[in-house]
Amino acid sequence: MSIGFEKIRVRFAPSPTGFLHVGGARTAIFNWLFAHKTGGKFLLRIEDTDVQRSGLDEVDAIIQGLQWLGLDWDEEIIYQSQRLQIYRKYIDELLLSGKAYKCFCSKDEIERQRQKAADEKRDFRYRLNRTCLKRSNEEIVAFEREGRLFAVRFKLPEGETVFTDHVYGEIKVDHQQLDDFIILRSDGYPTYHFAVVIDDSEMGISHIIRGDDHLSNTPKHILLYEALGKQPPVFVHVPLILGPDKQRLSKRHGATAVGEYEKAGYLPETVCNFLSLLGWSSGDDREIFSREELIREFSLEGISKKSAVFDEQKLEWMNGQYIMALSDERLLELVQPRLIAAGLLTQADIEKDKERILKILALLKPRLKRLSEVPEICSYFFEKPQAYDEKGMRKHWRAADVEEKLERLRTAFGKVTDFTTAGLEPVLRELCEGLDLSAAKLIHPLRLALTGRTFSPGIFEVMALLGKEVVLERIAAAIEFIQKNPVEVNALT
RNA sequence: GGCGCAUUCGUCUAGUGGCCUAGGACGUCGGCCUCUCACGCCGGUAACACGGGUUCGACUCCCGUAUGCGCUACCA
């Protein structure tokens, strides 16, 4: 812990790009966990100094993502766009002390010089000429009188900056690598490097936990802290999240927004758990961590230096684990909107038929990876099969005596009064014995008739939940289908 | 290009000089369970980037090379 901060205060500071990126979410989780672990505060700050790219909707999307993940923040949300006067105050301070200076060079002019340098294979550094630092007072006053726009540059001191990152250890950077970077743009907005330092300082941030793409920027920030006579916080850079091709995770890798994972049927607990394990490890062999366990186990020491590839297969597995742990009631709550949207059920159906639906979900649970699979995987419980699986027909309905077998099943089931798993199974088994057939020989054709598919939960469970009437009906419908489409069935060899 | 950082199974990782014949998880492969699909269980496959040091002894420490990523903007 650093000297000078008695309270732990961390923040998540996204720029509003329209959605919460999984990388950002992971950073937010680490911050949140650290705050909860240490009894500190977790603050939220919106970095909306790029007016072109920022808007209220974009902010909403990020807030929604955080809420979905259950990452609540303390205190009011800070918007950088509302703090312009504060930045101005500090800019003036640096201007006055000569640690920064106004730059009247136009963007175009700078770009031209940068291009020229590139052509000559030189590095462009504004500080090599410091054109505007050399201007006379008269010149500057004249520029200002004619209303010429200016940016403010930080006057980079000579030497080197050495600091200790909590994850990466000692980092040393020679100021030769740096430039008189701009801290206030000509539109009056501060740049990221300036705003971040002012805000973290004003907000009393004790630990900056952020992506390691900022590791190289940190010397600039430290220089700014020093110029302002402020105490720098502890820096904790966390490795980036990569796509399967080891490139920085981006849209072309598929889903990168947490909202997309919500849509795809992942649970927030899964996403939190999974993301926590990307770039951090508790040191033991566990994979599944409840939120409380995560808080208990989390430590900055467990953060890795190596960037991690986002492995969606493991995410899926983990989500399956979480779904299995859900109560039937909870699963129904979660899945209800999807069932309704798919047109399988109405709100009223669900209320009326709740007991049965809960039993159906219980059967589905160990088979689920994502909530979005539910409507598709259980549709036959609520409507008759739309079609029969072709491969299934070829395999199970081709025998010449299929119709007869189905007919026998129908007759036998018709006599069953105890239409439960326990009541049905012996009936089918006895029929098999009488026919000298393995149970599978009847079960597969039957499953196809009842569900239209070659796979389902245990057939007796399915029958019990379908109910006698529906079972008899569907067997009859299958027989009729086979009779009407003998060619089709037989031609499919 | 310059600078910074990283480098253990395909992937996430454990490992902080001898406990490593390198452990776990996902995936994959094989098997069991079984009416199918899952679940579950059992087992297999698979890694210390490379080259030099240091040391009695290196996955662990140092140097170099390679590769990857990041920064190098009036984006954040």
PDB file of all heavy atoms in Angstrom, chain A residues 45-75:
ATOM      1  N   ARG A  45     -16.273   6.459 -13.142  1.00  0.00           N
ATOM      2  CA  ARG A  45     -16.025   7.742 -13.807  1.00  0.00           C
ATOM      3  C   ARG A  45     -16.149   7.538 -15.312  1.00  0.00           C
ATOM      4  O   ARG A  45     -15.608   6.582 -15.860  1.00  0.00           O
ATOM      5  CB  ARG A  45     -14.621   8.233 -13.471  1.00  0.00           C
ATOM      6  CG  ARG A  45     -14.302   9.571 -14.112  1.00  0.00           C
ATOM      7  CD  ARG A  45     -12.967  10.103 -13.661  1.00  0.00           C
ATOM      8  NE  ARG A  45     -11.851   9.426 -14.276  1.00  0.00           N
ATOM      9  CZ  ARG A  45     -10.760   9.041 -13.628  1.00  0.00           C
ATOM     10  NH1 ARG A  45     -10.636   9.226 -12.334  1.00  0.00           N
ATOM     11  NH2 ARG A  45      -9.792   8.437 -14.279  1.00  0.00           N
ATOM     12  N   ILE A  46     -16.870   8.417 -15.950  1.00  0.00           N
ATOM     13  CA  ILE A  46     -17.060   8.316 -17.389  1.00  0.00           C
ATOM     14  C   ILE A  46     -16.090   9.258 -18.092  1.00  0.00           C
ATOM     15  O   ILE A  46     -16.120  10.466 -17.866  1.00  0.00           O
ATOM     16  CB  ILE A  46     -18.510   8.672 -17.776  1.00  0.00           C
ATOM     17  CG1 ILE A  46     -19.512   7.804 -17.004  1.00  0.00           C
ATOM     18  CG2 ILE A  46     -18.703   8.541 -19.269  1.00  0.00           C
ATOM     19  CD1 ILE A  46     -19.452   6.327 -17.312  1.00  0.00           C
ATOM     20  N   GLU A  47     -15.244   8.680 -18.935  1.00  0.00           N
ATOM     21  CA  GLU A  47     -14.234   9.485 -19.613  1.00  0.00           C
ATOM     22  C   GLU A  47     -14.776   9.953 -20.959  1.00  0.00           C
ATOM     23  O   GLU A  47     -14.476   9.380 -21.998  1.00  0.00           O
ATOM     24  CB  GLU A  47     -12.947   8.673 -19.770  1.00  0.00           C
ATOM     25  CG  GLU A  47     -12.527   8.030 -18.458  1.00  0.00           C
ATOM     26  CD  GLU A  47     -11.071   8.253 -18.094  1.00  0.00           C
ATOM     27  OE1 GLU A  47     -10.217   8.200 -18.993  1.00  0.00           O
ATOM     28  OE2 GLU A  47     -10.799   8.491 -16.897  1.00  0.00           O
ATOM     29  N   ASP A  48     -15.555  10.999 -20.891  1.00  0.00           N
ATOM     30  CA  ASP A  48     -16.236  11.473 -22.094  1.00  0.00           C
ATOM     31  C   ASP A  48     -15.678  12.797 -22.590  1.00  0.00           C
ATOM     32  O   ASP A  48     -16.405  13.708 -22.935  1.00  0.00           O
ATOM     33  CB  ASP A  48     -17.738  11.603 -21.811  1.00  0.00           C
ATOM     34  CG  ASP A  48     -18.007  12.460 -20.581  1.00  0.00           C
ATOM     35  OD1 ASP A  48     -17.035  12.840 -19.890  1.00  0.00           O
ATOM     36  OD2 ASP A  48     -19.178  12.757 -20.307  1.00  0.00           O
ATOM     37  N   THR A  49     -14.359  12.880 -22.629  1.00  0.00           N
ATOM     38  CA  THR A  49     -13.754  14.120 -23.118  1.00  0.00           C
ATOM     39  C   THR A  49     -13.633  14.154 -24.628  1.00  0.00           C
ATOM     40  O   THR A  49     -13.258  15.156 -25.198  1.00  0.00           O
ATOM     41  CB  THR A  49     -12.338  14.319 -22.529  1.00  0.00           C
ATOM     42  OG1 THR A  49     -11.578  13.144 -22.794  1.00  0.00           O
ATOM     43  CG2 THR A  49     -12.421  14.559 -21.039  1.00  0.00           C
ATOM     44  N   ASP A  50     -13.927  13.035 -25.248  1.00  0.00           N
ATOM     45  CA  ASP A  50     -13.939  13.037 -26.709  1.00  0.00           C
ATOM     46  C   ASP A  50     -15.391  13.231 -27.138  1.00  0.00           C
ATOM     47  O   ASP A  50     -16.164  12.280 -27.230  1.00  0.00           O
ATOM     48  CB  ASP A  50     -13.391  11.713 -27.241  1.00  0.00           C
ATOM     49  CG  ASP A  50     -13.262  11.740 -28.758  1.00  0.00           C
ATOM     50  OD1 ASP A  50     -13.836  12.665 -29.376  1.00  0.00           O
ATOM     51  OD2 ASP A  50     -12.607  10.860 -29.315  1.00  0.00           O
ATOM     52  N   VAL A  51     -15.726  14.482 -27.394  1.00  0.00           N
ATOM     53  CA  VAL A  51     -17.128  14.830 -27.612  1.00  0.00           C
ATOM     54  C   VAL A  51     -17.736  14.085 -28.792  1.00  0.00           C
ATOM     55  O   VAL A  51     -18.904  13.704 -28.773  1.00  0.00           O
ATOM     56  CB  VAL A  51     -17.274  16.352 -27.858  1.00  0.00           C
ATOM     57  CG1 VAL A  51     -18.657  16.810 -27.445  1.00  0.00           C
ATOM     58  CG2 VAL A  51     -16.206  17.113 -27.115  1.00  0.00           C
ATOM     59  N   GLN A  52     -16.910  13.884 -29.816  1.00  0.00           N
ATOM     60  CA  GLN A  52     -17.415  13.218 -31.025  1.00  0.00           C
ATOM     61  C   GLN A  52     -17.960  11.837 -30.700  1.00  0.00           C
ATOM     62  O   GLN A  52     -18.933  11.393 -31.285  1.00  0.00           O
ATOM     63  CB  GLN A  52     -16.270  13.009 -32.033  1.00  0.00           C
ATOM     64  CG  GLN A  52     -15.222  14.058 -32.020  1.00  0.00           C
ATOM     65  CD  GLN A  52     -15.482  15.110 -33.060  1.00  0.00           C
ATOM     66  OE1 GLN A  52     -15.967  14.798 -34.134  1.00  0.00           O
ATOM     67  NE2 GLN A  52     -15.190  16.347 -32.755  1.00  0.00           N
ATOM     68  N   ARG A  53     -17.280  11.177 -29.805  1.00  0.00           N
ATOM     69  CA  ARG A  53     -17.564   9.759 -29.585  1.00  0.00           C
ATOM     70  C   ARG A  53     -18.490   9.492 -28.403  1.00  0.00           C
ATOM     71  O   ARG A  53     -18.866   8.355 -28.175  1.00  0.00           O
ATOM     72  CB  ARG A  53     -16.249   9.000 -29.379  1.00  0.00           C
ATOM     73  CG  ARG A  53     -15.514   8.861 -30.675  1.00  0.00           C
ATOM     74  CD  ARG A  53     -14.177   8.168 -30.626  1.00  0.00           C
ATOM     75  NE  ARG A  53     -13.812   7.492 -29.393  1.00  0.00           N
ATOM     76  CZ  ARG A  53     -12.653   6.870 -29.239  1.00  0.00           C
ATOM     77  NH1 ARG A  53     -11.781   6.873 -30.218  1.00  0.00           N
ATOM     78  NH2 ARG A  53     -12.361   6.257 -28.123  1.00  0.00           N
ATOM     79  N   SER A  54     -18.784  10.527 -27.646  1.00  0.00           N
ATOM     80  CA  SER A  54     -19.527  10.280 -26.418  1.00  0.00           C
ATOM     81  C   SER A  54     -20.964  10.752 -26.494  1.00  0.00           C
ATOM     82  O   SER A  54     -21.275  11.753 -27.118  1.00  0.00           O
ATOM     83  CB  SER A  54     -18.832  10.991 -25.250  1.00  0.00           C
ATOM     84  OG  SER A  54     -17.472  10.675 -25.241  1.00  0.00           O
ATOM     85  N   GLY A  55     -21.833  10.018 -25.837  1.00  0.00           N
ATOM     86  CA  GLY A  55     -23.230  10.416 -25.779  1.00  0.00           C
ATOM     87  C   GLY A  55     -23.896   9.733 -24.613  1.00  0.00           C
ATOM     88  O   GLY A  55     -23.334   8.827 -23.997  1.00  0.00           O
ATOM     89  N   LEU A  56     -25.120  10.151 -24.328  1.00  0.00           N
ATOM     90  CA  LEU A  56     -25.827   9.610 -23.176  1.00  0.00           C
ATOM     91  C   LEU A  56     -26.193   8.132 -23.355  1.00  0.00           C
ATOM     92  O   LEU A  56     -26.136   7.350 -22.410  1.00  0.00           O
ATOM     93  CB  LEU A  56     -27.087  10.434 -22.902  1.00  0.00           C
ATOM     94  CG  LEU A  56     -27.004  11.408 -21.736  1.00  0.00           C
ATOM     95  CD1 LEU A  56     -25.580  11.927 -21.488  1.00  0.00           C
ATOM     96  CD2 LEU A  56     -27.956  12.583 -21.917  1.00  0.00           C
ATOM     97  N   ASP A  57     -26.571   7.764 -24.566  1.00  0.00           N
ATOM     98  CA  ASP A  57     -26.937   6.369 -24.808  1.00  0.00           C
ATOM     99  C   ASP A  57     -25.762   5.442 -24.560  1.00  0.00           C
ATOM    100  O   ASP A  57     -25.910   4.347 -24.033  1.00  0.00           O
ATOM    101  CB  ASP A  57     -27.403   6.187 -26.254  1.00  0.00           C
ATOM    102  CG  ASP A  57     -28.732   6.893 -26.486  1.00  0.00           C
ATOM    103  OD1 ASP A  57     -29.368   7.271 -25.489  1.00  0.00           O
ATOM    104  OD2 ASP A  57     -29.104   7.065 -27.655  1.00  0.00           O
ATOM    105  N   GLU A  58     -24.603   5.915 -24.973  1.00  0.00           N
ATOM    106  CA  GLU A  58     -23.400   5.120 -24.810  1.00  0.00           C
ATOM    107  C   GLU A  58     -23.111   4.899 -23.324  1.00  0.00           C
ATOM    108  O   GLU A  58     -22.722   3.816 -22.910  1.00  0.00           O
ATOM    109  CB  GLU A  58     -22.202   5.823 -25.463  1.00  0.00           C
ATOM    110  CG  GLU A  58     -22.144   5.678 -26.967  1.00  0.00           C
ATOM    111  CD  GLU A  58     -23.100   6.608 -27.705  1.00  0.00           C
ATOM    112  OE1 GLU A  58     -23.766   7.430 -27.032  1.00  0.00           O
ATOM    113  OE2 GLU A  58     -23.179   6.511 -28.935  1.00  0.00           O
ATOM    114  N   VAL A  59     -23.318   5.946 -22.561  1.00  0.00           N
ATOM    115  CA  VAL A  59     -23.107   5.828 -21.119  1.00  0.00           C
ATOM    116  C   VAL A  59     -24.081   4.814 -20.528  1.00  0.00           C
ATOM    117  O   VAL A  59     -23.712   3.950 -19.730  1.00  0.00           O
ATOM    118  CB  VAL A  59     -23.285   7.189 -20.432  1.00  0.00           C
ATOM    119  CG1 VAL A  59     -23.237   7.028 -18.918  1.00  0.00           C
ATOM    120  CG2 VAL A  59     -22.211   8.155 -20.899  1.00  0.00           C
ATOM    121  N   ASP A  60     -25.324   4.894 -20.942  1.00  0.00           N
ATOM    122  CA  ASP A  60     -26.339   3.960 -20.467  1.00  0.00           C
ATOM    123  C   ASP A  60     -25.951   2.518 -20.707  1.00  0.00           C
ATOM    124  O   ASP A  60     -26.128   1.654 -19.850  1.00  0.00           O
ATOM    125  CB  ASP A  60     -27.665   4.215 -21.192  1.00  0.00           C
ATOM    126  CG  ASP A  60     -28.480   5.253 -20.445  1.00  0.00           C
ATOM    127  OD1 ASP A  60     -28.041   5.654 -19.347  1.00  0.00           O
ATOM    128  OD2 ASP A  60     -29.536   5.645 -20.961  1.00  0.00           O
ATOM    129  N   ALA A  61     -25.432   2.268 -21.888  1.00  0.00           N
ATOM    130  CA  ALA A  61     -25.069   0.899 -22.242  1.00  0.00           C
ATOM    131  C   ALA A  61     -24.026   0.362 -21.267  1.00  0.00           C
ATOM    132  O   ALA A  61     -24.079  -0.791 -20.850  1.00  0.00           O
ATOM    133  CB  ALA A  61     -24.533   0.846 -23.662  1.00  0.00           C
ATOM    134  N   ILE A  62     -23.101   1.201 -20.908  1.00  0.00           N
ATOM    135  CA  ILE A  62     -22.053   0.765 -19.984  1.00  0.00           C
ATOM    136  C   ILE A  62     -22.608   0.540 -18.587  1.00  0.00           C
ATOM    137  O   ILE A  62     -22.305  -0.461 -17.930  1.00  0.00           O
ATOM    138  CB  ILE A  62     -20.906   1.790 -19.982  1.00  0.00           C
ATOM    139  CG1 ILE A  62     -20.137   1.616 -21.287  1.00  0.00           C
ATOM    140  CG2 ILE A  62     -20.003   1.584 -18.777  1.00  0.00           C
ATOM    141  CD1 ILE A  62     -19.086   2.619 -21.544  1.00  0.00           C
ATOM    142  N   ILE A  63     -23.441   1.453 -18.158  1.00  0.00           N
ATOM    143  CA  ILE A  63     -24.045   1.312 -16.835  1.00  0.00           C
ATOM    144  C   ILE A  63     -24.870   0.042 -16.757  1.00  0.00           C
ATOM    145  O   ILE A  63     -24.815  -0.707 -15.783  1.00  0.00           O
ATOM    146  CB  ILE A  63     -24.909   2.555 -16.520  1.00  0.00           C
ATOM    147  CG1 ILE A  63     -23.984   3.736 -16.265  1.00  0.00           C
ATOM    148  CG2 ILE A  63     -25.825   2.302 -15.328  1.00  0.00           C
ATOM    149  CD1 ILE A  63     -24.686   5.032 -16.001  1.00  0.00           C
ATOM    150  N   GLN A  64     -25.606  -0.202 -17.825  1.00  0.00           N
ATOM    151  CA  GLN A  64     -26.416  -1.415 -17.865  1.00  0.00           C
ATOM    152  C   GLN A  64     -25.566  -2.677 -17.759  1.00  0.00           C
ATOM    153  O   GLN A  64     -25.913  -3.612 -17.036  1.00  0.00           O
ATOM    154  CB  GLN A  64     -27.173  -1.446 -19.189  1.00  0.00           C
ATOM    155  CG  GLN A  64     -28.655  -1.644 -19.008  1.00  0.00           C
ATOM    156  CD  GLN A  64     -29.327  -1.653 -20.366  1.00  0.00           C
ATOM    157  OE1 GLN A  64     -28.887  -2.361 -21.284  1.00  0.00           O
ATOM    158  NE2 GLN A  64     -30.384  -0.869 -20.496  1.00  0.00           N
ATOM    159  N   GLY A  65     -24.462  -2.659 -18.471  1.00  0.00           N
ATOM    160  CA  GLY A  65     -23.549  -3.797 -18.420  1.00  0.00           C
ATOM    161  C   GLY A  65     -23.036  -4.036 -17.017  1.00  0.00           C
ATOM    162  O   GLY A  65     -22.994  -5.166 -16.537  1.00  0.00           O
ATOM    163  N   LEU A  66     -22.660  -2.968 -16.352  1.00  0.00           N
ATOM    164  CA  LEU A  66     -22.139  -3.093 -14.988  1.00  0.00           C
ATOM    165  C   LEU A  66     -23.218  -3.616 -14.050  1.00  0.00           C
ATOM    166  O   LEU A  66     -22.972  -4.459 -13.196  1.00  0.00           O
ATOM    167  CB  LEU A  66     -21.631  -1.737 -14.481  1.00  0.00           C
ATOM    168  CG  LEU A  66     -20.349  -1.224 -15.138  1.00  0.00           C
ATOM    169  CD1 LEU A  66     -20.055   0.192 -14.686  1.00  0.00           C
ATOM    170  CD2 LEU A  66     -19.172  -2.132 -14.809  1.00  0.00           C
ATOM    171  N   GLN A  67     -24.424  -3.103 -14.234  1.00  0.00           N
ATOM    172  CA  GLN A  67     -25.517  -3.544 -13.372  1.00  0.00           C
ATOM    173  C   GLN A  67     -25.823  -5.014 -13.598  1.00  0.00           C
ATOM    174  O   GLN A  67     -26.078  -5.756 -12.649  1.00  0.00           O
ATOM    175  CB  GLN A  67     -26.760  -2.683 -13.617  1.00  0.00           C
ATOM    176  CG  GLN A  67     -26.614  -1.317 -12.973  1.00  0.00           C
ATOM    177  CD  GLN A  67     -27.738  -0.373 -13.347  1.00  0.00           C
ATOM    178  OE1 GLN A  67     -28.379  -0.530 -14.392  1.00  0.00           O
ATOM    179  NE2 GLN A  67     -27.970   0.626 -12.513  1.00  0.00           N
ATOM    180  N   TRP A  68     -25.803  -5.408 -14.843  1.00  0.00           N
ATOM    181  CA  TRP A  68     -26.059  -6.813 -15.140  1.00  0.00           C
ATOM    182  C   TRP A  68     -25.054  -7.710 -14.429  1.00  0.00           C
ATOM    183  O   TRP A  68     -25.393  -8.750 -13.888  1.00  0.00           O
ATOM    184  CB  TRP A  68     -26.023  -7.045 -16.651  1.00  0.00           C
ATOM    185  CG  TRP A  68     -26.347  -8.457 -17.040  1.00  0.00           C
ATOM    186  CD1 TRP A  68     -27.568  -9.068 -16.947  1.00  0.00           C
ATOM    187  CD2 TRP A  68     -25.439  -9.435 -17.553  1.00  0.00           C
ATOM    188  NE1 TRP A  68     -27.470 -10.370 -17.379  1.00  0.00           N
ATOM    189  CE2 TRP A  68     -26.178 -10.619 -17.754  1.00  0.00           C
ATOM    190  CE3 TRP A  68     -24.073  -9.414 -17.873  1.00  0.00           C
ATOM    191  CZ2 TRP A  68     -25.594 -11.779 -18.258  1.00  0.00           C
ATOM    192  CZ3 TRP A  68     -23.509 -10.575 -18.377  1.00  0.00           C
ATOM    193  CH2 TRP A  68     -24.262 -11.732 -18.562  1.00  0.00           C
ATOM    194  N   LEU A  69     -23.805  -7.269 -14.435  1.00  0.00           N
ATOM    195  CA  LEU A  69     -22.765  -8.055 -13.779  1.00  0.00           C
ATOM    196  C   LEU A  69     -22.835  -7.956 -12.259  1.00  0.00           C
ATOM    197  O   LEU A  69     -22.134  -8.671 -11.552  1.00  0.00           O
ATOM    198  CB  LEU A  69     -21.384  -7.593 -14.246  1.00  0.00           C
ATOM    199  CG  LEU A  69     -21.005  -7.953 -15.681  1.00  0.00           C
ATOM    200  CD1 LEU A  69     -19.745  -7.212 -16.096  1.00  0.00           C
ATOM    201  CD2 LEU A  69     -20.795  -9.453 -15.818  1.00  0.00           C
ATOM    202  N   GLY A  70     -23.653  -7.053 -11.795  1.00  0.00           N
ATOM    203  CA  GLY A  70     -23.776  -6.890 -10.347  1.00  0.00           C
ATOM    204  C   GLY A  70     -22.648  -6.071  -9.750  1.00  0.00           C
ATOM    205  O   GLY A  70     -22.345  -6.186  -8.567  1.00  0.00           O
ATOM    206  N   LEU A  71     -22.032  -5.239 -10.570  1.00  0.00           N
ATOM    207  CA  LEU A  71     -20.934  -4.411 -10.078  1.00  0.00           C
ATOM    208  C   LEU A  71     -21.470  -3.040  -9.689  1.00  0.00           C
ATOM    209  O   LEU A  71     -21.512  -2.124 -10.501  1.00  0.00           O
ATOM    210  CB  LEU A  71     -19.856  -4.274 -11.157  1.00  0.00           C
ATOM    211  CG  LEU A  71     -19.274  -5.596 -11.675  1.00  0.00           C
ATOM    212  CD1 LEU A  71     -18.255  -5.338 -12.768  1.00  0.00           C
ATOM    213  CD2 LEU A  71     -18.641  -6.386 -10.542  1.00  0.00           C
ATOM    214  N   ASP A  72     -21.877  -2.922  -8.467  1.00  0.00           N
ATOM    215  CA  ASP A  72     -22.423  -1.646  -7.996  1.00  0.00           C
ATOM    216  C   ASP A  72     -21.271  -0.736  -7.570  1.00  0.00           C
ATOM    217  O   ASP A  72     -20.226  -1.202  -7.144  1.00  0.00           O
ATOM    218  CB  ASP A  72     -23.366  -1.880  -6.826  1.00  0.00           C
ATOM    219  CG  ASP A  72     -22.731  -2.773  -5.769  1.00  0.00           C
ATOM    220  OD1 ASP A  72     -21.813  -3.560  -6.129  1.00  0.00           O
ATOM    221  OD2 ASP A  72     -23.104  -2.684  -4.601  1.00  0.00           O
ATOM    222  N   TRP A  73     -21.479   0.547  -7.722  1.00  0.00           N
ATOM    223  CA  TRP A  73     -20.402   1.490  -7.404  1.00  0.00           C
ATOM    224  C   TRP A  73     -20.828   2.396  -6.251  1.00  0.00           C
ATOM    225  O   TRP A  73     -22.010   2.535  -5.945  1.00  0.00           O
ATOM    226  CB  TRP A  73     -20.035   2.322  -8.632  1.00  0.00           C
ATOM    227  CG  TRP A  73     -21.215   3.015  -9.238  1.00  0.00           C
ATOM    228  CD1 TRP A  73     -21.681   4.264  -8.938  1.00  0.00           C
ATOM    229  CD2 TRP A  73     -22.096   2.495 -10.244  1.00  0.00           C
ATOM    230  NE1 TRP A  73     -22.795   4.555  -9.693  1.00  0.00           N
ATOM    231  CE2 TRP A  73     -23.075   3.481 -10.498  1.00  0.00           C
ATOM    232  CE3 TRP A  73     -22.148   1.285 -10.951  1.00  0.00           C
ATOM    233  CZ2 TRP A  73     -24.101   3.305 -11.438  1.00  0.00           C
ATOM    234  CZ3 TRP A  73     -23.169   1.113 -11.876  1.00  0.00           C
ATOM    235  CH2 TRP A  73     -24.127   2.118 -12.112  1.00  0.00           C
ATOM    236  N   ASP A  74     -19.831   2.989  -5.631  1.00  0.00           N
ATOM    237  CA  ASP A  74     -20.086   3.894  -4.524  1.00  0.00           C
ATOM    238  C   ASP A  74     -20.089   5.329  -5.048  1.00  0.00           C
ATOM    239  O   ASP A  74     -19.500   5.623  -6.079  1.00  0.00           O
ATOM    240  CB  ASP A  74     -18.985   3.746  -3.471  1.00  0.00           C
ATOM    241  CG  ASP A  74     -18.927   2.308  -2.928  1.00  0.00           C
ATOM    242  OD1 ASP A  74     -19.940   1.856  -2.378  1.00  0.00           O
ATOM    243  OD2 ASP A  74     -17.876   1.653  -3.071  1.00  0.00           O
ATOM    244  N   GLU A  75     -20.733   6.175  -4.341  1.00  0.00           N
ATOM    245  CA  GLU A  75     -20.742   7.610  -4.641  1.00  0.00           C
ATOM    246  C   GLU A  75     -21.352   7.913  -6.015  1.00  0.00           C
ATOM    247  O   GLU A  75     -21.832   7.021  -6.701  1.00  0.00           O
ATOM    248  CB  GLU A  75     -19.322   8.196  -4.508  1.00  0.00           C
ATOM    249  CG  GLU A  75     -18.749   7.917  -3.104  1.00  0.00           C
ATOM    250  CD  GLU A  75     -17.354   8.500  -2.906  1.00  0.00           C
ATOM    251  OE1 GLU A  75     -16.869   9.270  -3.754  1.00  0.00           O
ATOM    252  OE2 GLU A  75     -16.753   8.189  -1.855  1.00  0.00           O
TER     253      GLU A  75
END
